[in-house]
Short mmCIF file of all heavy atoms in Angstrom, two decimals:
data_model
loop_
_atom_site.label_atom_id
_atom_site.label_comp_id
_atom_site.label_asym_id
_atom_site.label_seq_id
_atom_site.Cartn_x
_atom_site.Cartn_y
_atom_site.Cartn_z
N TYR B 12 23.63 75.00 -44.34
CA TYR B 12 22.26 74.89 -44.89
C TYR B 12 22.21 74.91 -46.40
O TYR B 12 21.15 74.82 -46.99
CB TYR B 12 21.38 76.01 -44.29
CG TYR B 12 20.96 75.76 -42.87
CD1 TYR B 12 21.41 76.56 -41.83
CD2 TYR B 12 20.10 74.70 -42.58
CE1 TYR B 12 21.03 76.33 -40.52
CE2 TYR B 12 19.68 74.47 -41.27
CZ TYR B 12 20.16 75.27 -40.25
OH TYR B 12 19.79 75.07 -38.95
N TYR B 14 24.14 73.61 -50.13
CA TYR B 14 25.12 72.78 -50.84
C TYR B 14 25.16 73.24 -52.29
O TYR B 14 24.14 73.41 -52.92
CB TYR B 14 24.72 71.33 -50.80
CG TYR B 14 24.94 70.70 -49.43
CD1 TYR B 14 24.13 70.97 -48.37
CD2 TYR B 14 26.03 69.80 -49.25
CE1 TYR B 14 24.34 70.39 -47.14
CE2 TYR B 14 26.26 69.22 -48.01
CZ TYR B 14 25.40 69.54 -46.95
OH TYR B 14 25.63 68.99 -45.74
N PHE B 16 25.82 72.49 -56.19
CA PHE B 16 25.52 71.30 -56.96
C PHE B 16 26.71 70.33 -56.98
O PHE B 16 26.54 69.13 -57.05
CB PHE B 16 25.11 71.63 -58.42
CG PHE B 16 23.75 72.25 -58.54
CD1 PHE B 16 23.31 72.79 -59.75
CD2 PHE B 16 22.87 72.26 -57.44
CE1 PHE B 16 22.04 73.33 -59.87
CE2 PHE B 16 21.60 72.85 -57.57
CZ PHE B 16 21.21 73.38 -58.79
N GLY B 19 26.92 67.77 -53.75
CA GLY B 19 25.91 66.75 -53.38
C GLY B 19 26.04 65.48 -54.23
O GLY B 19 26.92 65.33 -55.06
N LYS B 20 25.11 64.60 -53.99
CA LYS B 20 24.99 63.37 -54.77
C LYS B 20 23.59 62.80 -54.63
O LYS B 20 22.81 63.23 -53.78
CB LYS B 20 26.06 62.36 -54.37
CG LYS B 20 26.02 62.05 -52.87
CD LYS B 20 27.15 61.08 -52.50
CE LYS B 20 27.21 60.92 -50.96
NZ LYS B 20 28.22 60.00 -50.52
N LYS B 21 23.32 61.78 -55.44
CA LYS B 21 21.90 61.32 -55.50
C LYS B 21 21.43 60.69 -54.20
O LYS B 21 20.24 60.63 -53.93
CB LYS B 21 21.70 60.36 -56.68
CG LYS B 21 22.33 58.98 -56.60
CD LYS B 21 21.89 58.15 -57.81
CE LYS B 21 22.25 56.67 -57.70
NZ LYS B 21 23.67 56.37 -57.65
N GLU B 22 22.40 60.21 -53.37
CA GLU B 22 21.98 59.59 -52.09
C GLU B 22 21.51 60.65 -51.08
O GLU B 22 21.04 60.27 -49.98
CB GLU B 22 23.13 58.78 -51.52
CG GLU B 22 23.41 57.50 -52.28
CD GLU B 22 24.19 57.74 -53.58
OE1 GLU B 22 24.72 58.88 -53.76
OE2 GLU B 22 24.23 56.85 -54.45
N MET B 23 21.66 61.93 -51.39
CA MET B 23 21.36 62.94 -50.37
C MET B 23 19.95 63.53 -50.51
O MET B 23 19.70 64.67 -50.13
CB MET B 23 22.42 64.05 -50.44
CG MET B 23 23.80 63.60 -49.97
SD MET B 23 25.09 64.75 -50.35
CE MET B 23 24.76 66.04 -49.14
N LYS B 24 19.04 62.70 -50.98
CA LYS B 24 17.65 63.15 -51.22
C LYS B 24 16.99 63.75 -50.01
O LYS B 24 16.27 64.74 -50.10
CB LYS B 24 16.80 61.94 -51.63
CG LYS B 24 16.68 61.76 -53.13
CD LYS B 24 15.63 60.73 -53.40
CE LYS B 24 15.42 60.62 -54.92
NZ LYS B 24 14.39 59.61 -55.25
N GLU B 25 17.18 63.12 -48.84
CA GLU B 25 16.53 63.60 -47.62
C GLU B 25 16.90 65.05 -47.37
O GLU B 25 16.07 65.84 -46.90
CB GLU B 25 17.01 62.76 -46.39
CG GLU B 25 16.44 61.36 -46.33
CD GLU B 25 14.93 61.39 -46.04
OE1 GLU B 25 14.50 62.19 -45.19
OE2 GLU B 25 14.22 60.61 -46.70
N LEU B 26 18.15 65.39 -47.61
CA LEU B 26 18.69 66.72 -47.30
C LEU B 26 18.48 67.69 -48.45
O LEU B 26 18.09 68.86 -48.21
CB LEU B 26 20.18 66.62 -46.95
CG LEU B 26 20.82 67.85 -46.40
CD1 LEU B 26 20.24 68.16 -45.01
CD2 LEU B 26 22.33 67.68 -46.31
N LEU B 27 18.69 67.24 -49.66
CA LEU B 27 18.69 68.16 -50.80
C LEU B 27 17.39 68.09 -51.58
O LEU B 27 17.19 68.85 -52.53
CB LEU B 27 19.85 67.83 -51.73
CG LEU B 27 21.24 67.87 -51.08
CD1 LEU B 27 22.30 67.53 -52.12
CD2 LEU B 27 21.54 69.27 -50.49
N GLY B 28 16.50 67.20 -51.21
CA GLY B 28 15.31 66.97 -52.01
C GLY B 28 15.67 66.14 -53.22
O GLY B 28 16.84 66.01 -53.59
N GLY B 29 14.64 65.59 -53.85
CA GLY B 29 14.92 64.73 -55.03
C GLY B 29 15.55 65.50 -56.16
O GLY B 29 16.52 65.09 -56.78
N LYS B 30 15.00 66.66 -56.44
CA LYS B 30 15.49 67.47 -57.58
C LYS B 30 16.91 67.90 -57.35
O LYS B 30 17.77 67.76 -58.20
CB LYS B 30 14.56 68.68 -57.75
CG LYS B 30 14.62 69.29 -59.13
CD LYS B 30 13.64 70.46 -59.25
CE LYS B 30 12.20 69.99 -59.36
NZ LYS B 30 11.21 71.07 -59.14
N GLY B 31 17.18 68.40 -56.09
CA GLY B 31 18.52 68.88 -55.79
C GLY B 31 19.54 67.78 -55.82
O GLY B 31 20.67 67.94 -56.37
N ALA B 32 19.20 66.63 -55.28
CA ALA B 32 20.14 65.51 -55.27
C ALA B 32 20.47 65.07 -56.68
O ALA B 32 21.63 64.77 -56.99
CB ALA B 32 19.57 64.38 -54.43
N ASN B 33 19.44 65.06 -57.56
CA ASN B 33 19.67 64.62 -58.91
C ASN B 33 20.44 65.66 -59.72
O ASN B 33 21.23 65.31 -60.59
CB ASN B 33 18.36 64.27 -59.59
CG ASN B 33 17.80 62.94 -59.08
OD1 ASN B 33 18.59 62.10 -58.59
ND2 ASN B 33 16.50 62.74 -59.17
N LEU B 34 20.21 66.93 -59.46
CA LEU B 34 21.03 67.98 -60.13
C LEU B 34 22.46 67.84 -59.73
O LEU B 34 23.37 67.90 -60.58
CB LEU B 34 20.49 69.36 -59.73
CG LEU B 34 19.18 69.80 -60.43
CD1 LEU B 34 18.57 71.04 -59.74
CD2 LEU B 34 19.44 70.11 -61.92
N ALA B 35 22.71 67.56 -58.43
CA ALA B 35 24.10 67.35 -57.97
C ALA B 35 24.70 66.13 -58.64
O ALA B 35 25.86 66.13 -59.10
CB ALA B 35 24.09 67.20 -56.45
N GLU B 36 23.88 65.05 -58.72
CA GLU B 36 24.38 63.81 -59.30
C GLU B 36 24.77 64.02 -60.75
O GLU B 36 25.82 63.56 -61.21
CB GLU B 36 23.32 62.71 -59.16
CG GLU B 36 23.79 61.34 -59.55
CD GLU B 36 24.76 60.72 -58.57
OE1 GLU B 36 24.83 61.19 -57.40
OE2 GLU B 36 25.49 59.75 -58.92
N THR B 49 21.71 74.43 -53.62
CA THR B 49 20.46 73.95 -53.02
C THR B 49 20.38 74.36 -51.53
O THR B 49 21.31 74.08 -50.77
CB THR B 49 20.34 72.42 -53.13
OG1 THR B 49 20.51 72.06 -54.51
CG2 THR B 49 19.01 71.94 -52.59
N LEU B 50 19.29 75.03 -51.14
CA LEU B 50 19.01 75.21 -49.72
C LEU B 50 18.36 73.92 -49.20
O LEU B 50 17.42 73.43 -49.80
CB LEU B 50 18.00 76.37 -49.51
CG LEU B 50 18.59 77.80 -49.43
CD1 LEU B 50 19.12 78.20 -50.81
CD2 LEU B 50 17.55 78.79 -48.92
N THR B 51 18.88 73.41 -48.12
CA THR B 51 18.49 72.07 -47.67
C THR B 51 17.08 72.06 -47.08
O THR B 51 16.53 73.08 -46.69
CB THR B 51 19.44 71.55 -46.60
OG1 THR B 51 19.32 72.39 -45.44
CG2 THR B 51 20.86 71.52 -47.07
N THR B 52 16.54 70.83 -46.96
CA THR B 52 15.23 70.65 -46.32
C THR B 52 15.30 71.09 -44.86
O THR B 52 14.30 71.51 -44.27
CB THR B 52 14.83 69.18 -46.38
OG1 THR B 52 15.83 68.37 -45.81
CG2 THR B 52 14.58 68.73 -47.79
N GLU B 53 16.50 70.93 -44.25
CA GLU B 53 16.62 71.35 -42.87
C GLU B 53 16.46 72.85 -42.70
O GLU B 53 15.98 73.32 -41.69
CB GLU B 53 18.00 70.91 -42.30
CG GLU B 53 17.99 69.44 -41.96
CD GLU B 53 19.38 68.92 -41.62
OE1 GLU B 53 20.34 69.73 -41.60
OE2 GLU B 53 19.51 67.73 -41.35
N SER B 54 16.89 73.60 -43.73
CA SER B 54 16.70 75.06 -43.64
C SER B 54 15.20 75.37 -43.66
O SER B 54 14.72 76.26 -42.96
CB SER B 54 17.45 75.77 -44.75
OG SER B 54 16.83 75.53 -46.01
N CYS B 55 14.43 74.62 -44.47
CA CYS B 55 13.00 74.82 -44.50
C CYS B 55 12.40 74.48 -43.18
O CYS B 55 11.54 75.23 -42.63
CB CYS B 55 12.39 73.92 -45.60
SG CYS B 55 10.60 73.93 -45.68
N ARG B 100 13.49 76.72 -57.76
CA ARG B 100 12.53 75.59 -57.78
C ARG B 100 12.50 74.85 -56.48
O ARG B 100 13.55 74.66 -55.85
CB ARG B 100 12.92 74.65 -58.93
CG ARG B 100 12.64 75.25 -60.31
CD ARG B 100 12.82 74.21 -61.42
NE ARG B 100 14.23 73.85 -61.57
CZ ARG B 100 14.64 72.84 -62.35
NH1 ARG B 100 13.75 72.13 -63.05
NH2 ARG B 100 15.91 72.56 -62.49
N SER B 101 11.35 74.47 -56.10
CA SER B 101 11.22 73.65 -54.88
C SER B 101 11.59 72.22 -55.21
O SER B 101 11.74 71.85 -56.35
CB SER B 101 9.77 73.68 -54.37
OG SER B 101 8.97 73.00 -55.34
N GLY B 102 11.75 71.41 -54.14
CA GLY B 102 12.03 69.99 -54.36
C GLY B 102 12.19 69.24 -53.07
O GLY B 102 13.21 69.34 -52.40
N ALA B 103 11.17 68.51 -52.67
CA ALA B 103 11.24 67.72 -51.42
C ALA B 103 11.87 66.36 -51.71
O ALA B 103 12.15 66.04 -52.87
CB ALA B 103 9.84 67.55 -50.84
N ALA B 104 12.06 65.60 -50.66
CA ALA B 104 12.66 64.27 -50.83
C ALA B 104 11.75 63.36 -51.64
O ALA B 104 12.20 62.45 -52.29
CB ALA B 104 12.96 63.64 -49.48
N GLN B 105 10.44 63.60 -51.54
CA GLN B 105 9.53 62.86 -52.40
C GLN B 105 8.75 63.85 -53.25
O GLN B 105 8.41 64.90 -52.79
CB GLN B 105 8.50 62.09 -51.54
CG GLN B 105 9.12 60.90 -50.82
CD GLN B 105 8.10 60.14 -50.05
OE1 GLN B 105 6.94 60.02 -50.44
NE2 GLN B 105 8.51 59.61 -48.90
N SER B 106 8.54 63.43 -54.46
CA SER B 106 7.78 64.28 -55.39
C SER B 106 6.40 64.57 -54.79
O SER B 106 5.76 63.67 -54.23
CB SER B 106 7.67 63.54 -56.71
OG SER B 106 6.50 63.94 -57.38
N MET B 107 5.99 65.82 -54.84
CA MET B 107 4.80 66.21 -54.11
C MET B 107 4.10 67.36 -54.82
O MET B 107 4.51 68.50 -54.76
CB MET B 107 5.25 66.68 -52.73
CG MET B 107 4.14 66.68 -51.69
SD MET B 107 4.86 67.16 -50.10
CE MET B 107 6.17 65.95 -49.96
N MET B 110 2.88 71.94 -53.99
CA MET B 110 3.81 72.94 -53.44
C MET B 110 4.14 73.92 -54.53
O MET B 110 4.00 73.68 -55.72
CB MET B 110 5.10 72.28 -52.97
CG MET B 110 4.90 71.55 -51.70
SD MET B 110 6.50 71.07 -51.03
CE MET B 110 7.37 70.68 -52.49
N TRP B 222 5.34 74.53 -48.42
CA TRP B 222 5.37 73.19 -47.83
C TRP B 222 4.11 72.92 -47.00
O TRP B 222 3.61 71.80 -46.93
CB TRP B 222 6.60 73.09 -46.90
CG TRP B 222 6.67 71.78 -46.14
CD1 TRP B 222 6.41 71.56 -44.83
CD2 TRP B 222 7.05 70.50 -46.69
NE1 TRP B 222 6.58 70.24 -44.49
CE2 TRP B 222 6.97 69.57 -45.60
CE3 TRP B 222 7.44 70.06 -47.95
CZ2 TRP B 222 7.30 68.22 -45.78
CZ3 TRP B 222 7.74 68.70 -48.11
CH2 TRP B 222 7.67 67.80 -47.04
N LEU B 239 9.12 63.80 -43.23
CA LEU B 239 9.99 64.69 -43.98
C LEU B 239 10.11 66.02 -43.26
O LEU B 239 9.20 66.46 -42.55
CB LEU B 239 9.44 64.91 -45.39
CG LEU B 239 9.38 63.64 -46.26
CD1 LEU B 239 8.97 64.04 -47.65
CD2 LEU B 239 10.74 62.96 -46.29
N ASN B 240 11.29 66.65 -43.47
CA ASN B 240 11.59 67.93 -42.83
C ASN B 240 10.89 69.09 -43.50
O ASN B 240 10.48 70.06 -42.85
CB ASN B 240 13.08 68.20 -42.94
CG ASN B 240 13.81 67.58 -41.80
OD1 ASN B 240 13.31 67.54 -40.67
ND2 ASN B 240 15.02 67.10 -42.07
N GLY B 241 10.88 69.09 -44.81
CA GLY B 241 10.36 70.22 -45.56
C GLY B 241 10.88 70.12 -46.98
O GLY B 241 11.34 69.07 -47.40
N THR B 242 10.76 71.19 -47.71
CA THR B 242 11.23 71.17 -49.10
C THR B 242 12.61 71.87 -49.18
O THR B 242 12.89 72.81 -48.43
CB THR B 242 10.25 71.88 -50.03
OG1 THR B 242 10.79 71.87 -51.38
CG2 THR B 242 10.01 73.32 -49.60
N ALA B 243 13.41 71.36 -50.09
CA ALA B 243 14.64 72.09 -50.43
C ALA B 243 14.31 73.16 -51.43
O ALA B 243 13.21 73.18 -52.00
CB ALA B 243 15.68 71.11 -50.99
N VAL B 244 15.23 74.11 -51.67
CA VAL B 244 15.02 75.13 -52.70
C VAL B 244 16.29 75.10 -53.60
O VAL B 244 17.41 75.23 -53.13
CB VAL B 244 14.89 76.53 -52.10
CG1 VAL B 244 14.53 77.52 -53.19
CG2 VAL B 244 13.84 76.53 -51.01
N ASN B 245 16.02 74.89 -54.90
CA ASN B 245 17.14 74.82 -55.84
C ASN B 245 17.25 76.16 -56.56
O ASN B 245 16.29 76.65 -57.16
CB ASN B 245 16.88 73.72 -56.86
CG ASN B 245 16.80 72.36 -56.17
OD1 ASN B 245 17.79 71.92 -55.59
ND2 ASN B 245 15.61 71.79 -56.22
N TYR B 323 21.14 55.43 -63.20
CA TYR B 323 20.02 55.25 -62.23
C TYR B 323 19.39 53.86 -62.28
O TYR B 323 18.57 53.51 -61.46
CB TYR B 323 18.93 56.31 -62.42
CG TYR B 323 19.37 57.69 -61.88
CD1 TYR B 323 19.99 58.63 -62.70
CD2 TYR B 323 19.15 57.99 -60.53
CE1 TYR B 323 20.38 59.86 -62.17
CE2 TYR B 323 19.53 59.22 -60.01
CZ TYR B 323 20.15 60.16 -60.84
OH TYR B 323 20.54 61.35 -60.32
N GLN B 342 16.67 68.53 -65.10
CA GLN B 342 16.11 67.61 -64.08
C GLN B 342 16.10 66.20 -64.65
O GLN B 342 15.97 65.99 -65.85
CB GLN B 342 14.65 68.01 -63.75
CG GLN B 342 14.00 67.08 -62.73
CD GLN B 342 12.71 67.66 -62.17
OE1 GLN B 342 12.34 68.79 -62.48
NE2 GLN B 342 12.04 66.93 -61.31
N THR B 343 16.33 65.24 -63.77
CA THR B 343 16.06 63.84 -64.16
C THR B 343 15.41 63.14 -62.98
O THR B 343 15.64 63.49 -61.83
CB THR B 343 17.36 63.12 -64.57
OG1 THR B 343 17.02 61.86 -65.17
CG2 THR B 343 18.25 62.84 -63.36
N ARG B 344 14.55 62.24 -63.32
CA ARG B 344 13.90 61.43 -62.25
C ARG B 344 13.39 60.13 -62.87
O ARG B 344 13.25 60.03 -64.07
CB ARG B 344 12.74 62.21 -61.62
CG ARG B 344 11.71 62.67 -62.61
CD ARG B 344 10.67 63.56 -61.97
NE ARG B 344 9.87 64.18 -63.01
CZ ARG B 344 8.96 65.11 -62.80
NH1 ARG B 344 8.74 65.54 -61.56
NH2 ARG B 344 8.26 65.63 -63.76
#
Side-chain angles (χ1 to χ4, degrees):
Chain B
Y12 284 113
Y14 285 74
F16 287 171
K20 55 182 173 179
K21 72 175 190 296
E22 288 77 14
M23 290 168 75
K24 266 190 175 180
E25 286 291 318
L26 189 66
L27 302 180
K30 201 178 284 166
N33 286 336
L34 283 166
E36 188 71 18
T49 305
L50 275 69
T51 64
T52 56
E53 283 170 1
S54 70
C55 175
R100 289 188 290 171
S101 68
Q105 288 182 35
S106 152
M107 199 176 306
M110 286 191 323
W222 176 255
L239 296 186
N240 274 324
T242 178
V244 187
N245 299 296
Y323 284 93
Q342 179 167 355
T343 191
R344 56 186 168 186

